[in-house]
Amino acid sequence: LKRARRRMFAKAVEQESKCFYCQEELPEDKWTVEHLTRLCEGGHKIFSTNIVMACAKCNHTRQSTHWKEWKLRMGKLGEQK
């Protein structure tokens, strides 16, 4: 558990404590782990290449949308704020 928490912290630092998709501030108590390529679609559990930190809203609403398309969509929505 400690190793996984350290990896999550490192990923959050790498992302400047922002959601990978919408770029909203992401405090530690709001971190969710997001697989870019879902495990059921052949993705893997490797933090360095397939896992990012996302806010709960982005993580749960992305559904089957490809991560690149979702990031682009969320970025455009973020610009309108």
Side-chain angles (χ1 to χ4, degrees), residues 8-25:
M8 288 172 64
F9 183 78
K11 187 59 75 169
V13 169
E14 178 183 311
Q15 292 177 208
E16 300 177 352
S17 295
K18 295 181 181 179
C19 173
F20 180 76
Y21 298 111
C22 69
Q23 296 299 300
E24 290 290 320
E25 289 294 321

Side-chain angles (χ1 to χ4, degrees), residues 2-13:
K2 289 181 182 180
R3 184 176 173 188
R5 191 73 183 158
R6 282 194 308 266
R7 287 180 175 173
M8 288 172 64
F9 183 78
K11 187 59 75 169
V13 169

Side-chain angles (χ1 to χ4, degrees), residues 14-61:
E14 178 183 311
Q15 292 177 208
E16 300 177 352
S17 295
K18 295 181 181 179
C19 173
F20 180 76
Y21 298 111
C22 69
Q23 296 299 300
E24 290 290 320
E25 289 294 321
L26 195 59
E28 186 174 351
D29 64 333
K30 303 293 183 187
W31 292 349
T32 64
V33 174
E34 168 76 336
H35 292 91
L36 294 176
T37 302
R38 290 171 181 72
L39 299 177
C40 65
E41 295 173 345
H44 46 82
K45 296 180 182 181
I46 299 174
F47 263 83
S48 62
T49 58
N50 193 45
I51 293 179
V52 295
M53 305 307 291
C55 67
K57 180 180 177 183
C58 286
N59 195 344
H60 299 298
T61 58

